[in-house]
Amino acid sequence: MSKAGENNRLDRRKFINKTVRYSLAIGVCGVGAVLAGKASKGELVWQLDPAKCVQCGRCATNCVLTPSAVKCIHVYDMCGYCDLCSGYFRVNTKDLTTGAENQLCPTSAIERKFIEDPYFEYHIDEDLCIGCGKCVKGCASFGNGSLQLQVNHSLCVNCNQCSIARDCPAEAFSRVPADKAYSFKGFNRDELI
Amino acid sequence: MKLKLVDISYKRILYFALLILLTLNVFDSAAQQRFPKPEFETGHTQPPTLTPEPRAELLEIIDVGVLILSLSLITWFILKKRSRKGVFWMSIFSIVYFGFYREGCVCSVGSLQNITLALFLPEYKIPVTVIAFFVIPLIYTLFFGRTFCAGICPLGAIQDIFVIKPYSLKSWANSLLGLFPYIYLGLAVLYAATATDFIVCRYDPFIGIFRFNGTFFMLVIGGIFLLTSIFIARPYCRFFCPYGVLLNIVSRFSGKHMTITPTECIQCKLCENSCPFDAIQKPVLVNVLDNRRTTVKRFIQLSLIIPLLIFLGGWTGSRFHENLASVNPKVRLANVLLEENNEINEDTQVEIDAFKSSGNTEGKLYSEAASIVKDFYTGGWILGGFLGLVFGLTLAGLSRFQYRTDYTPNKGTCLSCARCMDYCPVRPGKETEFTID
């Protein structure tokens, strides 16, 4: 092969490379620009909609974190401060005492505090809560529904695909803008402020 | 004891009375609570409901900035400074920053699924940072080779520090295993496009390690990959990574790719075995070029069977569309509801109950599932056809010889790790000493 022919071949290859390179660059940037046009403005976070939640217990088991980033959050404004709290006590509890055999919570994460007759206040210890939703179910079926499952965003690592959302039977998880990270059923935080 | 029971049943009656009152809608909607909040006489103040804030948005934007800066820096280390040390410290940085500090999500590898889903599902909202993490490494690779793989991708960087005693693989093994990322990419796109699942994220091997927390399965897979990396360098990057497929293709057209030698190759063969990824191409012997005519003939013959392979692949893919679709939760639920007399385990029962309480009709579910299965039929054809094409091109590529006199990095598979540079005796300052005219 002559030197000139070799040079020609190299030039041709270079030209093809260059053409493909710039068209690929334009293509990739174009796709990026088109998607950016319809992209969400801010960051998105996972939100659990308690209105859809069926308290199946998968939040406790399916999160990539152990314990789960889903926690029970107590909306005190909705709480009736009941003595016989259906979120705290098992059904058919004979004595309303804090004995472990009476508690619905498997990790004893709910603290029951006497306020004044006949009212009691219930605190969730987030370090103990595993997000199983047993108390939520109890509170929703006989009480006000002030105990609600929510994604705790100081713990959530915001996975690209939430492994709880993937297996949620009620499709209660969705990605929302960060300012709407929490959603409470029957209660609007903004109205209060 | 009896007294206590009576006491409780008295309370129960009270509850029922309240419940009935509620159902009668005596309360207006604003105070729709079974037990209204008490007015405390002792002046008790209720604690606030705590809602911890998510990670600040500014930090996400900073992440993109750090990505661009570190990519520029590592590219400078590779192309200008030709420093393996620089690349090594950059990988340590990205393991610490993108891996342990940022905890891995979202990464460029996973972002390709978000991009796919956003392209196929118009209502899907994609954050701008995810687009940035997808586009920026591609653009850098298009101009400078796979410098992103060299040490910015935390998944690659963590495997790279485990490369201790790499063994070279036979070229047929490399080609065969090199097909797997295409299958993985095809499946990832199929499942993302049908909004079924993000399988790349589900089977991400290192995320658990970065978070010091994860399922047993995740950590075991991660450990296996890292241990394998001691002997077979970067197994995930070479034989699994679906984003690597895109970077591989794009890198072949890169403008300023890394070179082994700073000036001209002196054929000293010192770099020959230096690449742990088998990405150094040896000079092509002249006698191979001699029967150019036969190789060209073989190349054409092999290329002719590509359309056949595409069709065969597509046909096979479409045969399996129901199996592929059965991963989709909607399709799975519809299958369970349609099949009679099958044993329903507790997990499935939870899903059936949730569906029944959601108020959706079975008819709607069936029609949705049917349309998903139909999508999978089309997807099966495309996936199979794509794999047939890749298989055919790989076959044809085996008989393709390019005239080469020097040791050069394979622009597609070279990860720009800069290891080979240290083996090259040629120094940029002393070019005259070795120049052969």
Side-chain angles (χ1 to χ4, degrees):
Chain A
M1 207 176 294
S2 70
K3 194 89 179 169
E6 179 73 7
N7 276 345
N8 257 338
R9 279 173 60 87
L10 279 179
D11 283 348
R12 195 167 67 209
R13 180 169 294 158
K14 256 185 194 164
F15 174 74
I16 292 169
N17 256 353
K18 210 172 192 173
T19 319
V20 176
R21 176 158 70 248
Y22 282 100
S23 32
L24 274 176
I26 291 164
V28 169
C29 289
V31 169
V34 166
L35 290 181
K38 55 160 242 173
S40 70
K41 290 239 160 50
E43 271 310 302
L44 298 179
V45 294
W46 292 100
Q47 183 209 63
L48 198 170
D49 185 357
K52 289 182 181 167
C53 174
V54 293
Q55 298 97 33
C56 64
R58 286 190 187 171
C59 287
T61 53
N62 289 31
C63 185
V64 290
L65 301 179
T66 333
S68 172
V70 170
K71 302 282 176 198
C72 171
I73 289 189
H74 195 184
V75 187
Y76 294 99
D77 284 294
M78 289 175 70
C79 184
Y81 286 78
C82 311
D83 181 8
L84 174 55
C85 171
S86 54
Y88 184 82
F89 291 112
R90 281 171 199 253
V91 221
N92 298 331
T93 300
K94 290 191 180 108
D95 308 301
L96 299 185
T97 63
T98 55
E101 74 277 11
N102 295 338
Q103 293 185 23
L104 201 53
C105 180
T107 58
S108 203
I110 307 179
E111 190 198 332
R112 174 176 148 100
K113 202 171 98 187
F114 175 73
I115 303 293
E116 61 180 59
D117 200 47
Y119 301 125
F120 285 82
E121 195 168 75
Y122 298 91
H123 292 280
I124 311 285
D125 185 342
E126 286 213 339
D127 294 335
L128 291 176
C129 177
I130 54 167
C132 66
K134 288 202 168 84
C135 60
V136 178
K137 197 165 208 158
C139 183
S141 39
F142 297 111
N144 284 352
S146 64
L147 294 170
Q148 304 191 1
L149 282 182
Q150 285 289 299
V151 179
N152 182 327
H153 286 283
S154 66
L155 301 171
C156 176
V157 285
N158 202 10
C159 292
N160 197 17
Q161 170 70 311
C162 173
S163 63
I164 310 173
R166 192 166 57 205
D167 298 328
C168 176
E171 295 178 30
F173 281 81
S174 56
R175 270 199 146 172
V176 296
D179 55 330
K180 294 195 185 92
Y182 294 89
S183 145
F184 295 107
K185 183 169 74 170
F187 173 71
N188 193 346
R189 211 158 128 237
D190 303 329
E191 276 176 19
L192 206 80
I193 300 164
Chain B
M1 200 64 202
K2 251 196 175 143
L3 245 168
K4 197 86 192 168
L5 274 173
V6 171
D7 195 38
I8 288 171
S9 55
Y10 157 73
K11 273 179 185 164
R12 288 266 156 78
I13 292 164
L14 231 168
Y15 285 153
F16 273 110
L18 277 165
L19 270 173
I20 291 161
L21 276 176
L22 216 162
T23 43
L24 289 174
N25 233 343
V26 174
F27 301 116
D28 61 318
S29 62
Q32 210 177 42
Q33 288 181 358
R34 292 171 193 167
F35 310 102
K37 201 176 87 176
E39 303 280 335
F40 297 113
E41 288 160 13
T42 49
H44 169 73
T45 47
Q46 86 178 28
T49 297
L50 294 176
T51 51
E53 287 301 306
R55 193 166 179 258
E57 202 183 324
L58 182 69
L59 291 174
E60 309 278 341
I61 297 163
I62 290 174
D63 285 342
V64 177
V66 172
L67 176 72
I68 294 173
L69 273 179
S70 52
L71 260 174
S72 307
L73 196 60
I74 202 169
T75 307
W76 179 74
F77 273 129
I78 295 165
L79 295 180
K80 283 272 177 243
K81 286 282 279 181
R82 301 176 54 77
S83 154
R84 167 69 198 156
K85 229 176 214 168
V87 175
F88 176 77
W89 286 112
M90 283 308 295
S91 12
I92 298 290
F93 167 77
S94 74
I95 291 171
V96 172
Y97 186 86
F98 292 112
F100 289 111
Y101 163 67
R102 203 172 156 268
E103 296 182 323
C105 248
V106 57
C107 73
S108 300
V109 182
S111 72
L112 77 92
Q113 301 164 109
N114 301 56
I115 298 283
T116 313
L117 184 54
L119 287 174
F120 279 86
L121 198 75
E123 63 264 31
Y124 175 73
K125 288 263 179 224
I126 182 169
V128 182
T129 45
V130 177
I131 301 173
F133 267 87
F134 178 76
V135 168
I136 293 166
L138 273 175
I139 294 295
Y140 267 81
T141 306
L142 199 47
F143 287 93
F144 308 112
R146 295 169 73 170
T147 52
F148 172 74
C149 300
I152 301 304
C153 177
L155 308 182
I158 197 167
Q159 290 172 83
D160 204 70
I161 55 170
F162 277 83
V163 178
I164 296 164
K165 188 154 179 46
Y167 286 96
S168 179
L169 288 180
K170 291 267 183 294
S171 78
W172 62 264
N174 265 322
S175 310
L176 202 66
L177 289 171
L179 286 173
F180 195 76
Y182 289 91
I183 300 173
Y184 200 15
L185 173 71
L187 286 173
V189 168
L190 177 66
Y191 282 127
T194 52
T196 300
D197 197 358
F198 282 5
I199 56 167
V200 180
C201 297
R202 182 187 276 236
Y203 300 112
D204 185 329
F206 305 114
I207 201 89
I209 295 168
F210 288 139
R211 287 174 180 157
F212 296 118
N213 199 335
T215 58
F216 177 73
F217 174 77
M218 265 179 173
L219 294 169
V220 166
I221 296 279
I224 290 173
F225 268 111
L226 290 184
L227 288 179
T228 314
S229 191
I230 298 174
F231 306 108
I232 299 164
R234 289 209 196 189
Y236 188 79
C237 305
R238 289 156 73 198
F239 310 129
F240 289 92
C241 184
Y243 191 62
V245 170
L246 304 181
L247 293 177
N248 178 319
I249 295 165
V250 157
S251 176
R252 292 178 199 198
F253 302 102
S254 56
K256 264 183 85 66
H257 194 275
M258 174 220 103
T259 54
I260 301 172
T261 164
T263 51
E264 242 174 293
C265 180
I266 55 165
Q267 322 269 334
C268 67
K269 297 189 179 176
L270 283 174
C271 64
E272 202 177 72
N273 298 317
S274 66
C275 184
F277 315 114
D278 305 319
I280 293 180
Q281 296 168 323
K282 289 169 187 149
V284 177
L285 299 171
V286 184
N287 63 4
V288 175
L289 280 176
D290 276 347
N291 39 28
R292 188 188 174 83
R293 194 174 277 269
T294 47
T295 56
V296 167
K297 210 182 244 170
R298 198 165 61 209
F299 181 72
I300 292 169
Q301 278 167 353
L302 281 171
S303 304
L304 282 177
I305 63 164
I306 289 177
L308 186 71
L309 280 173
I310 293 176
F311 179 77
L312 262 177
W315 185 80
T316 318
S318 68
R319 292 300 99 189
F320 284 104
H321 76 281
E322 278 178 357
N323 304 56
L324 289 166
S326 64
V327 178
N328 190 293
K330 270 198 185 122
V331 176
R332 203 172 51 208
L333 185 62
N335 278 338
V336 169
L337 290 175
L338 276 172
E339 271 176 47
E340 278 169 26
N341 305 326
N342 58 347
E343 279 187 25
I344 293 169
N345 61 13
E346 211 176 310
D347 254 12
T348 322
Q349 192 58 49
V350 165
E351 271 161 37
I352 295 171
D353 292 346
F355 170 72
K356 286 189 175 150
S357 68
S358 72
N360 287 333
T361 59
E362 284 189 22
K364 198 180 160 220
L365 175 79
Y366 293 150
S367 68
E368 274 177 354
S371 110
I372 293 169
V373 171
K374 215 173 140 200
D375 287 346
F376 268 94
Y377 180 75
T378 324
W381 266 105
I382 297 170
L383 171 70
F386 167 72
L387 293 179
L389 175 71
V390 170
F391 192 65
L393 285 175
T394 312
L395 260 184
L398 289 178
S399 65
R400 191 181 67 117
F401 289 103
Q402 214 174 51
Y403 177 67
R404 261 194 310 270
T405 52
D406 302 337
Y407 284 89
T408 50
N410 181 328
K411 277 169 113 181
T413 52
C414 170
L415 301 173
S416 293
C417 71
R419 279 192 181 83
C420 53
M421 290 175 179
D422 287 347
Y423 288 81
C424 185
V426 183
R427 289 288 164 264
K430 299 173 183 169
E431 53 203 286
T432 44
E433 218 171 288
F434 296 100
T435 309
I436 306 158
D437 229 316

